[in-house]
Amino acid sequence: DAGITQSPRHKVTETGTPVTLRCHQTENHRYMYWYRQDPGHGLRLIHYSYGVKDTDKGEVSDGYSVSRSKTEDFLLTLESATSSQTSVYFCAISDGNTEAFFGQGTRLTVV
Amino acid sequence: DQQVKQNSPSLSVQEGRISILNCDYTNSMFDYFLWYKKYPAEGPTFLISISSIKDKNEDGRFTVFLNKSAKHLSLHIVPSQPGDSAVYFCAATDSGAGSYQLTFGKGTKLSVIP
């Protein structure tokens, strides 16, 4: 199994509070991604990174920011959580030559 | 605008029979296609892939077919087993874009009935 760890695995937070999700990899892969999964929408890309300090927006980036200060860590931040950001968040990694590997997911509930 | 479409939200198949899951795409820049399998409360796991230079790829019970002219791919599972019951996501990427980001369909929930 690819070495990807997401933390926390579950979180309940209140509307308007900041939230940071962490993705940690031990594979030294260049590319890292954050997706969200919602019923009826499949998996949608939020942000991705193609190297340390190199990030770009995905399909549903509004309300989210990311940072990658080290190869192994990719952080997703919700600056002010809203109920529409209740979702399951998946981190994925890729070396660009093979398929992407996914973490176990973080279930976030915004109340 | 949905670039990868899985038009069947669900599919039920008897154990031992063939399961066929379909996927259509609209972006002609996509040149690499993947299928992922997802169990509840777990992350998606890679199943099989195909490059646009091929029209078929096999891995054990799983075969993916690609029809570029129709922008259509399908995943065949033969024989289907109860453990195959999961949500299957079709994904596509433009390998020339450099980001290797995947665009996913909405998924098809496969139920294999013993």
Side-chain angles (χ1 to χ4, degrees):
Chain A
D1 288 347
I4 312 173
T5 305
Q6 289 187 231
S7 58
R9 292 294 313 280
H10 302 272
K11 186 169 183 67
V12 179
T13 191
E14 292 187 349
T15 299
T17 61
V19 177
T20 295
L21 309 183
R22 180 182 183 234
C23 178
H24 178 78
Q25 61 148 328
T26 57
E27 305 296 322
N28 201 36
H29 283 354
R30 176 182 177 187
Y31 300 91
M32 298 185 76
Y33 312 86
W34 277 107
Y35 288 87
R36 60 178 288 175
Q37 185 195 8
D38 303 289
H41 288 280
L43 290 137
R44 293 180 293 174
L45 182 66
I46 305 171
H47 280 280
Y48 66 95
S49 169
Y50 46 97
V52 173
K53 294 193 167 78
D54 292 323
T55 65
D56 206 346
K57 295 178 179 180
E59 178 188 355
V60 289
S61 59
D62 286 349
Y64 302 95
S65 62
V66 290
S67 66
R68 192 169 178 199
S69 59
K70 298 185 291 185
T71 299
E72 56 266 35
D73 290 324
F74 193 32
L75 304 181
L76 176 70
T77 297
L78 291 66
E79 300 291 347
S80 178
T82 67
S83 58
S84 65
Q85 294 176 312
T86 291
S87 186
V88 181
Y89 292 85
F90 290 102
C91 174
I93 63 174
S94 171
D95 63 4
N97 293 316
T98 60
E99 67 276 13
F101 296 96
F102 283 78
Q104 293 283 76
T106 295
R107 181 173 293 277
L108 177 68
T109 302
V110 183
V111 298
Chain B
D1 181 32
Q2 213 181 338
Q3 299 186 70
V4 178
K5 300 177 184 179
Q6 294 178 257
N7 291 321
S8 297
S10 62
L11 175 68
S12 290
V13 172
Q14 286 290 129
E15 181 179 2
R17 305 296 293 268
I18 184 172
S19 296
I20 300 177
L21 294 88
N22 294 304
C23 177
D24 298 292
Y25 63 96
T26 58
N27 188 339
S28 58
M29 297 302 294
F30 289 151
D31 61 354
Y32 196 73
F33 305 89
L34 308 91
W35 285 93
Y36 282 81
K37 177 179 179 179
K38 187 182 180 306
Y39 293 117
E42 294 184 9
T45 55
F46 170 74
L47 193 57
I48 193 170
S49 62
I50 188 167
S51 164
S52 60
I53 62 173
K54 295 184 176 181
D55 55 17
K56 177 182 175 181
N57 189 29
E58 285 182 83
D59 184 0
R61 297 186 296 114
F62 303 92
T63 303
V64 57
F65 296 92
L66 175 63
N67 182 331
K68 281 178 56 180
S69 61
K71 293 190 174 67
H72 177 83
L73 61 154
S74 61
L75 173 68
H76 293 211
I77 306 174
V78 183
S80 301
Q81 299 174 353
D84 296 329
S85 297
V87 177
Y88 289 79
F89 290 101
C90 172
T93 188
D94 170 7
S95 62
S99 66
Y100 302 97
Q101 59 180 279
L102 299 176
T103 301
F104 284 85
K106 294 184 178 182
T108 297
K109 184 176 182 180
L110 173 65
S111 300
V112 180
I113 304 162

